[in-house]
């Protein structure tokens, strides 16, 4: 995750509330390799049918989802391990009755902090009030276009846009911090930066942009990936939006760590400052390094954007066993940079920081999971030479 607003202006909103103050001179220490942020996909059930769903969610739960008892045991272990943040996702987590049981347990334990990733359509005033009472740090709501018909098509249900916007308004009205999550594609990259304007008008305080990744159902829409030049144009525009909305709406980029190198290069006035930005980016972590994802059946992945590798199984293991340097599958991703073998990524001087971008996009473009991410638009050796790192 690239904290664009904090990089550009030194000011965050939601992220600062959750993590505390951090900056290029003072990187975040919120999460650690064996104390990661957890993305907990609690169900495969969803009331939408999104074209790009990373988990291939459907209309109902599936056989094999963890039992209520096991879900609560896992939650207890998260509290015991002192994990910093759990983000409930799905599917649509609000369709999982046990979601409220888990949230209540964690609220009583006082840790980890909690957030909700939702399509927003089921967030009534009553739901928003319960989230506020349970001390949820924020709610991230998916909205992919300023045009209702485009969002509805991408999300697979007519009327989804209006229901989502209503959900955002309900959460804001109850005093819940809301962030909008937008998937950036070839068809919306030009309008996507203006999502910050809509967020501000709705009272949302964050926009997180996810570059479309080739995982789950998104493997069927590879043609909708933006081009590298389109990604660069998009990044330039959101940097401008970060300045415009400093302290009001923060902007983050996800699945595009190479963009962080690009922004650091553009902002830096000295080699020392460039290095400070790199340390700040590296501290955020990535798939398997300071983040993990739990699937509804209890399997654990490096993150929700890597489904090819299982790094643990909560049906047979404890979370403590999985979060260990003795777990070779986890270490494979903590040290992912050692496995990169695409000609660009493997020789990149920033591979330890960037982690090679998206493994899903690399596999879709090259046939090799450890290959090059086709959306990386920077010349890393040229950037390194500029700052005396070549």
């Amino acid at each position: 995750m690239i904290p664009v607003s904090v990089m550009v202006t030194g000011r965050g909103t939601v992220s600062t509330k959750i993590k505390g103050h951090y900056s290029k001179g003072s990187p975040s220490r919120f999460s650690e390799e064996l104390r990661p942020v957890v993305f907990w996909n609690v169900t495969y059930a969803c009331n939408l049918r999104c074209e790009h769903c990373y988990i291939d969610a459907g209309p109902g739960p599936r056989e094999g989802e963890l039992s209520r008892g096991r879900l609560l045991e896992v939650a207890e272990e998260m509290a015991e391990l002192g994990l910093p943040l759990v983000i409930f996702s799905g599917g649509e987590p609000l369709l999982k009755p046990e979601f409220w049981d888990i949230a209540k347990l964690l609220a009583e334990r006082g840790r980890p902090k909690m957030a909700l990733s939702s399509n927003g359509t089921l967030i009534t005033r009553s739901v928003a009030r319960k989230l506020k009472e349970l001390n949820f740090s924020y709610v991230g709501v998916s909205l992919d276009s300023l045009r209702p018909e485009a969002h509805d098509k991408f999300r697979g249900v007519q009327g989804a846009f209006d229901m989502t916007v209503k959900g955002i308004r309900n959460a804001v009205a109850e005093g819940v911090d809301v962030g909008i999550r937008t998937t950036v594609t070839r068809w919306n990259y030009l309008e996507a930066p203006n999502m910050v304007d809509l967020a501000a008008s709705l009272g949302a305080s964050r926009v997180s942009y996810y570059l479309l990744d080739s995982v789950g159902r998104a493997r069927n829409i590879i043609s909708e990936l933006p081009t590298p030049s389109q990604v660069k144009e998009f990044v330039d525009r959101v940097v401008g939006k970060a300045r415009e909305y400093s302290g009001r709406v923060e902007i983050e980029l996800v699945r595009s760590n190479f963009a962080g190198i690009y922004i650091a290069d553009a902002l830096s006035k000295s080699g020392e400052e460039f290095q400070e930005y790199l340390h700040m980016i590296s501290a955020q972590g990535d798939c398997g390094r300071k983040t993990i994802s739990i699937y509804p059946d209890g399997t654990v992945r490096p993150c929700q954007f890597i489904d090819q590798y299982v790094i643990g199984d909560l049906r047979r293991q404890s979370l403590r066993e999985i979060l260990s340097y003795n777990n070779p599958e986890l270490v494979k991703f903590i040290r992912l940079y050692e496995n990169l073998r695409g000609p660009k990524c493997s020789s990149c001087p920033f591979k330890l920081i960037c982690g090679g971008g998206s493994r899903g996009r690399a596999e879709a473009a090259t046939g090799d999971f450890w290959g090059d991410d086709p959306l990386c638009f920077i010349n890393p050796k040229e950037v390194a030479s500029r700052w005396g790192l070549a």
Side-chain angles (χ1 to χ4, degrees):
M1 184 273 289
I2 304 301
V4 178
S5 293
V6 179
M7 290 183 71
V8 174
T9 71
R11 303 176 70 185
T13 57
V14 174
S15 68
T16 303
K17 287 184 181 180
I18 294 174
K19 299 178 179 181
H21 177 75
Y22 64 102
S23 65
K24 68 184 180 197
S26 180
S28 171
R29 300 183 183 277
F30 181 69
S31 58
E32 301 168 4
E33 289 177 348
L34 302 184
R35 193 173 154 274
V37 171
V38 177
F39 293 83
W40 196 352
N41 304 291
V42 292
T43 184
Y44 287 107
C46 190
N47 58 328
L48 300 186
R49 188 66 178 170
C50 306
E51 290 183 7
H52 64 311
C53 180
Y54 62 78
I55 204 168
D56 194 18
R62 294 180 195 166
E63 186 177 350
E65 293 188 8
L66 291 182
S67 67
R68 179 181 183 277
R70 185 61 183 133
L71 290 168
L72 294 176
E73 289 173 353
V74 172
E76 285 275 13
E77 192 174 10
M78 288 182 184
E80 291 170 6
L81 292 172
L83 301 187
L85 175 68
V86 58
I87 302 172
F88 292 99
S89 188
E92 172 51 56
L94 292 176
L95 287 173
K96 184 78 168 178
E98 293 85 353
F99 161 74
W100 295 108
D101 299 326
I102 302 167
K104 184 174 183 292
L105 184 153
L106 293 180
E108 290 171 350
R109 299 296 182 273
R111 59 184 183 184
K113 293 181 177 180
M114 295 184 289
L116 175 68
S117 180
S118 170
N119 61 43
T121 62
L122 303 178
I123 301 178
T124 62
R125 287 290 291 267
S126 174
V127 165
R129 194 172 305 120
K130 288 173 69 176
L131 295 171
K132 181 70 174 179
E133 290 169 353
L134 290 168
N135 202 31
F136 269 72
S137 295
Y138 79 98
V139 174
V141 178
S142 300
L143 196 63
D144 298 301
S145 179
L146 303 174
R147 296 168 289 130
E149 67 281 3
H151 174 82
D152 292 356
K153 180 178 182 297
F154 197 51
R155 294 282 165 175
V157 171
Q158 188 172 0
F161 179 93
D162 290 339
M163 290 187 287
T164 296
V165 169
K166 186 175 181 179
I168 293 171
R169 293 187 188 279
N170 287 336
V172 170
E174 292 297 331
V176 179
D177 280 332
V178 177
I180 290 176
R181 298 181 168 189
T182 299
T183 301
V184 180
T185 66
R186 185 171 300 204
W187 59 265
N188 75 346
Y189 81 96
L190 286 175
E191 67 166 324
N194 297 327
M195 189 62 72
V196 184
D197 305 321
L198 178 61
S201 72
L202 293 173
S205 51
R206 171 195 270 183
V207 177
S208 298
Y209 291 106
Y210 290 69
L211 281 191
L212 180 64
D213 213 334
S214 302
V215 63
R217 286 203 290 267
R219 289 186 174 93
N220 300 321
I221 55 169
I222 294 172
S223 62
E224 295 185 23
L225 288 173
T227 65
S229 62
Q230 289 171 342
V231 175
K232 180 179 181 296
E233 181 180 356
F234 163 76
V235 172
D236 286 337
R237 290 188 60 200
V238 297
V239 165
K241 287 293 184 182
R243 292 194 175 98
E244 181 181 352
Y245 284 94
S246 175
R248 291 186 290 156
V249 181
E250 74 175 337
I251 297 172
E252 298 177 338
L253 297 178
V254 187
R255 312 308 297 142
S256 52
N257 283 0
F258 46 80
I261 309 297
Y262 172 74
I263 294 170
D265 181 37
L267 295 176
S268 297
K269 296 180 177 60
S270 68
E272 181 181 3
E273 187 176 24
F274 182 67
Q275 289 282 16
E276 288 181 341
Y277 278 121
L278 296 188
H279 289 314
M280 179 184 176
I281 294 167
S282 182
Q284 302 299 312
D286 203 356
C287 288
R289 185 172 64 86
K290 302 188 180 182
T291 72
I292 61 167
S293 179
I294 300 173
Y295 272 49
D297 62 0
T299 53
V300 181
R301 318 294 170 111
C303 70
Q304 67 271 44
F305 298 103
I306 292 179
D307 60 6
Q308 299 94 330
Y309 283 85
V310 173
I311 63 172
D313 192 334
L314 290 168
R315 293 169 296 190
R316 294 183 286 275
Q317 296 171 282
S318 68
L319 198 53
R320 187 182 298 275
E321 288 178 271
I322 296 168
L323 297 176
S324 167
Y325 290 125
N326 293 322
N327 178 358
E329 295 306 314
L330 174 63
V331 171
K332 181 185 299 181
F333 289 93
I334 289 176
R335 305 180 68 86
L336 181 147
Y337 57 90
E338 294 180 345
N339 301 307
L340 298 173
R341 56 190 176 216
K344 184 175 182 178
C345 287
S346 64
S347 63
C348 177
F350 306 112
K351 63 182 180 180
L352 188 150
I353 297 161
C354 175
S358 161
R359 300 297 85 222
R361 292 194 299 256
E363 186 173 58
T366 70
D368 184 359
F369 180 86
W370 302 106
D372 290 339
D373 184 338
L375 296 194
C376 178
F377 58 84
I378 67 171
N379 183 328
K381 293 183 179 178
E382 182 180 290
V383 174
S385 177
R386 184 158 36 250
W387 301 111
L389 301 176

